[in-house]
Amino acid sequence: MTAYTATVTVRLKRGVLDPEAETTRRALERLGFELAGLRSADRFDIDLEAEDADEAADRAEEMAERLLANPTIHDYEVAVAEK
Amino acid sequence: MTVAVVQFGGSNCDRDAVRALSHLGVDAERVWHEDGLPPDLDGIVLPGGFSYGDYLRAGAMAARAPIMAAVRDAAEEGVPVLGVCNGAQIGSESGLTPGAFTTNASARFQCEPVSLRVERADTPWTRAYDEGEVIEVPIAHGEGRFEIDDDAYEDLVADDRVLFRYCDADGTVTDEANPNGSTGNVAGVLGERETVAVLMPHPERATLPDVAGSTDGEGVLRAFV
C-alpha cells in the first residue's frame, strides 16, 4: 500500500450561474483590480492508502460521484499524487 | 393518519410542521433520523432548517443519512412525501425529485412572502386549489435557485411535473417575480410519483391563522388529511 493524496476539484458546469463568484469579482473590481472573469471551485485533498494510483483515483472518483459533487450542476476532476 | 416529520441535526421547522398538521387534524410526530421511520406510516415530511449546517451543499449531508434510504423506499411504495425548503434540498439531493436547489441569484438569504401560481390542481398537494390560482406563501432560503439542464427541464415540463411557479400578484410568471433566479420560475416540483413533492416556500408557515397573515399554504398540507 502506498500513501496518496487525491485532489478532487468540483466546479459548476459551464453556463450555471455562480452568484458567489460574481460577487467576489465585483468586490475585486471595487478594490481596483481589472479582470475579465472569475470562476470559483471547491477543492478536496483526500489522503488515502491504495495499491496504486489508479485505485486511489477510482476511490476518489466514487467519493465525488456519491457526495462531493452534485451531477445536476457540477463537473469534477480527480488528480492523484504520492504523498 | 400518522405523518413522520423527520428531524435531522439542524432541522428547525419540524415543530412548525407538526403544529400546522395537528391544526388540520393530522396525527403528526417528530422522528429523529437515527431512530428510523416508524411502522404503519401514512406520510413523511422533510422539514426546513439548516441540516448539518448546510455544509458542502444545502441538504447534501442529510440526503445521505441512512433514514433517507427508507424514505425513498416508502416513496416508491406510494407513501406521500413532502420536502419543504431544506427538506426540498434534501429531496433533490437524494434523487427523490429532479434538478437541484443552489445559491440564490442574489447570493443572499431571502425571507419574504412570494406569490405562487398553482400549475396543476389534480395532485394530492394542490387539489385544494384551482389550476392557475395564485397563493401567497413565505420563502426563507439562501439556496433556493432551481437549476436543471435544458433537456431535463423540457422533460419536466412535458411530464407536467412543475407544481408551483413564482409569479406576480396577477399570476403572471415574470423575471421580476422570480425571487432567486430559478429556472422557469419553478418553486416546487413532483417526483416520479405524484405523491412525492418538494417546494422551497413554506406552506407550514402559512397555515395557522394565529401565526401568519396568509393561510394559503394549508392546501399543500391537506394532502395528508
Side-chain angles (χ1 to χ4, degrees):
Chain A
M1 299 289 266
T2 310
Y4 294 95
T5 298
T7 300
V8 179
T9 307
V10 179
R11 291 189 177 85
L12 286 171
K13 284 181 175 171
R14 190 167 287 277
V16 175
L17 182 71
D18 186 345
E20 291 180 3
E22 184 61 19
T23 304
T24 307
R25 181 184 68 79
R26 286 204 303 271
L28 285 169
E29 287 174 346
R30 272 200 302 276
L31 290 172
F33 292 104
E34 288 182 18
L35 62 163
L38 182 153
R39 288 166 297 285
S40 65
D42 289 328
R43 192 179 96 171
F44 303 89
D45 295 331
I46 302 161
D47 298 331
L48 70 175
E49 302 267 330
E51 291 292 344
D52 54 36
D54 284 346
E55 190 209 315
D58 286 348
R59 281 167 52 196
E61 187 160 325
E62 194 182 350
M63 294 179 204
E65 288 280 336
R66 292 188 56 189
L67 177 65
L68 301 178
N70 179 335
T72 302
I73 51 173
H74 291 137
D75 289 324
Y76 66 87
E77 57 197 50
V78 176
V80 171
E82 270 192 48
K83 207 180 168 196
Chain B
M1 192 87 181
T2 300
V3 173
V5 178
V6 181
Q7 185 191 19
F8 297 96
S11 298
N12 67 6
C13 299
D14 41 304
R15 282 172 192 267
D16 304 35
V18 168
R19 259 200 79 195
L21 286 165
S22 302
H23 170 72
L24 300 178
V26 176
D27 176 29
E29 59 178 286
R30 288 190 295 156
V31 173
W32 177 241
H33 72 97
E34 287 181 342
D35 295 340
L37 292 176
D40 302 326
L41 205 55
D42 298 311
I44 299 168
V45 173
L46 302 172
F50 299 87
S51 58
Y52 303 94
D54 283 349
Y55 291 167
L56 197 60
R57 300 175 299 276
M61 299 295 173
R64 277 108 184 142
I67 197 171
M68 287 306 297
V71 171
R72 281 192 296 271
D73 288 348
E76 279 175 24
E77 287 166 16
V79 174
V81 178
L82 175 68
V84 171
C85 196
N86 190 222
Q89 295 158 339
I90 294 167
S92 65
E93 276 280 342
S94 68
L96 279 170
T97 53
F101 293 101
T102 187
T103 313
N104 293 348
S106 66
R108 294 186 184 137
F109 187 90
Q110 287 174 247
C111 187
E112 61 204 46
V114 296
S115 295
L116 301 176
R117 190 175 76 187
V118 179
E119 298 296 296
R120 285 184 60 176
D122 59 346
T123 76
W125 315 103
T126 51
R127 64 187 171 208
Y129 309 114
D130 296 323
E131 188 177 318
E133 186 176 341
V134 179
I135 62 172
E136 189 184 291
V137 179
I139 56 166
H141 60 243
E143 297 180 42
R145 174 168 55 100
F146 183 70
E147 273 290 346
I148 189 165
D149 69 54
D150 293 345
D151 289 345
Y153 179 67
E154 279 179 28
D155 289 346
L156 192 70
V157 173
D159 295 344
D160 215 4
R161 284 164 66 184
V162 178
L163 206 49
F164 297 106
R165 291 185 200 267
Y166 301 108
C167 65
D168 66 19
D170 299 325
T172 309
V173 173
T174 64
D175 287 346
E176 292 72 31
N178 190 343
N180 52 28
S182 289
T183 303
N185 285 42
V186 169
V189 294
L190 292 169
E192 280 179 21
R193 283 172 173 266
E194 288 178 8
T195 44
V196 176
V198 302
L199 68 161
M200 288 308 300
H202 286 271
E204 82 285 4
R205 292 190 193 178
T207 294
L208 297 167
D210 59 336
V211 170
S214 167
T215 55
D216 288 357
E218 175 188 316
V220 175
L221 302 184
R222 285 215 166 268
F224 295 112
V225 175

